Amino acid sequence: MAETKWTIHGREFANCNCSYGCPCQFNALPTHGNCWAVVGIQIDKGYHGGTDAMQREALLRIMSGQDTKPGATMFQVFFSMLSKVHDPVFAEIDFAVDIDKRRAKLNVPGYIEQRGEPIVNPVSGAEHRIRIEPVGGFEFKVAEIGRGWTKTSGPITYELSDSYGQFAELHLCQDGIVA
């Protein structure tokens, strides 16, 4: 059990290389056998122990799963699977997400260009709306599903095009999703 108490409450947009119905959300292997993803998170409020004069250090501890019960959050689960970890980059971030409209934009100059949109019916052109509501998950209670495009540069370079996107409210703590 993690000794440091923390919580974050905010919104995310995630884009990965899976098909629109990401199999990972259903305890299956990724569409292409591996997972490439970029996640933007707007933290609206939160705390880490008695902090936050040391916000960067606190966020790095949360994002690396150091102060989290094993398996309780996406941060701890994903970090435990990494074979290489690059040094963090502290840069200007332009991020906007509207969960209900299924729209997002993330720009970190020199590193990430990302956008999220609703899934569109290929015949009528109408926006298609679908949600995922996992029971016992480690990331969100409910996510609106859409699609995304991401281009990264720097030490990790790849491009995603018209692939799985999710828009969700996050409310997490060291023990998992806050009820």
Short mmCIF file of all heavy atoms in Angstrom, two decimals, residues 59 61 82-83 113 115 125 133 179:
data_model
loop_
_atom_site.label_atom_id
_atom_site.label_comp_id
_atom_site.label_asym_id
_atom_site.label_seq_id
_atom_site.Cartn_x
_atom_site.Cartn_y
_atom_site.Cartn_z
N LEU A 59 4.26 15.21 -9.44
CA LEU A 59 3.67 14.66 -10.67
C LEU A 59 4.49 13.51 -11.23
O LEU A 59 3.94 12.51 -11.69
CB LEU A 59 3.50 15.76 -11.73
CG LEU A 59 2.34 16.71 -11.48
CD1 LEU A 59 2.38 17.86 -12.47
CD2 LEU A 59 1.02 15.98 -11.56
N ARG A 61 6.29 11.43 -9.53
CA ARG A 61 6.05 10.26 -8.67
C ARG A 61 4.70 9.63 -8.99
O ARG A 61 4.58 8.41 -9.05
CB ARG A 61 6.14 10.65 -7.19
CG ARG A 61 7.56 11.03 -6.76
CD ARG A 61 7.67 11.24 -5.27
NE ARG A 61 7.43 9.99 -4.54
CZ ARG A 61 8.34 9.03 -4.37
NH1 ARG A 61 9.55 9.15 -4.91
NH2 ARG A 61 8.04 7.95 -3.67
N LEU A 82 7.31 -0.60 -18.95
CA LEU A 82 8.29 0.11 -19.77
C LEU A 82 9.67 -0.51 -19.64
O LEU A 82 10.12 -0.83 -18.55
CB LEU A 82 8.37 1.59 -19.35
CG LEU A 82 7.10 2.40 -19.52
CD1 LEU A 82 7.31 3.81 -18.99
CD2 LEU A 82 6.64 2.43 -20.97
N SER A 83 10.33 -0.65 -20.78
CA SER A 83 11.70 -1.15 -20.77
C SER A 83 12.71 0.00 -20.81
O SER A 83 13.86 -0.17 -20.44
CB SER A 83 11.93 -2.09 -21.96
OG SER A 83 11.68 -1.42 -23.18
N GLU A 113 1.93 16.77 -31.78
CA GLU A 113 0.78 17.41 -32.41
C GLU A 113 -0.33 16.36 -32.41
O GLU A 113 -0.14 15.27 -32.96
CB GLU A 113 1.09 17.82 -33.85
CG GLU A 113 2.13 18.91 -33.97
CD GLU A 113 2.43 19.21 -35.43
OE1 GLU A 113 1.50 19.17 -36.27
OE2 GLU A 113 3.61 19.43 -35.73
N ARG A 115 -4.85 15.64 -32.34
CA ARG A 115 -6.22 16.12 -32.33
C ARG A 115 -7.17 14.93 -32.18
O ARG A 115 -6.84 13.81 -32.57
CB ARG A 115 -6.55 16.93 -33.58
CG ARG A 115 -6.82 16.14 -34.84
CD ARG A 115 -7.17 17.09 -36.01
NE ARG A 115 -7.77 16.39 -37.10
CZ ARG A 115 -7.12 15.73 -38.06
NH1 ARG A 115 -5.80 15.68 -38.02
NH2 ARG A 115 -7.77 15.13 -39.02
N GLY A 125 -22.24 10.49 -42.77
CA GLY A 125 -21.38 11.57 -42.30
C GLY A 125 -21.77 12.08 -40.93
O GLY A 125 -21.14 13.00 -40.40
N GLU A 133 -17.85 1.98 -20.26
CA GLU A 133 -18.01 2.14 -18.82
C GLU A 133 -17.53 0.87 -18.12
O GLU A 133 -18.31 0.00 -17.76
CB GLU A 133 -19.48 2.40 -18.50
CG GLU A 133 -19.75 2.78 -17.09
CD GLU A 133 -21.20 3.20 -16.86
OE1 GLU A 133 -21.95 3.38 -17.82
OE2 GLU A 133 -21.56 3.33 -15.68
N ALA A 179 -14.35 7.01 -5.98
CA ALA A 179 -15.77 6.70 -6.17
C ALA A 179 -16.64 7.91 -6.26
O ALA A 179 -16.46 8.96 -5.90
CB ALA A 179 -16.26 5.81 -5.04
#
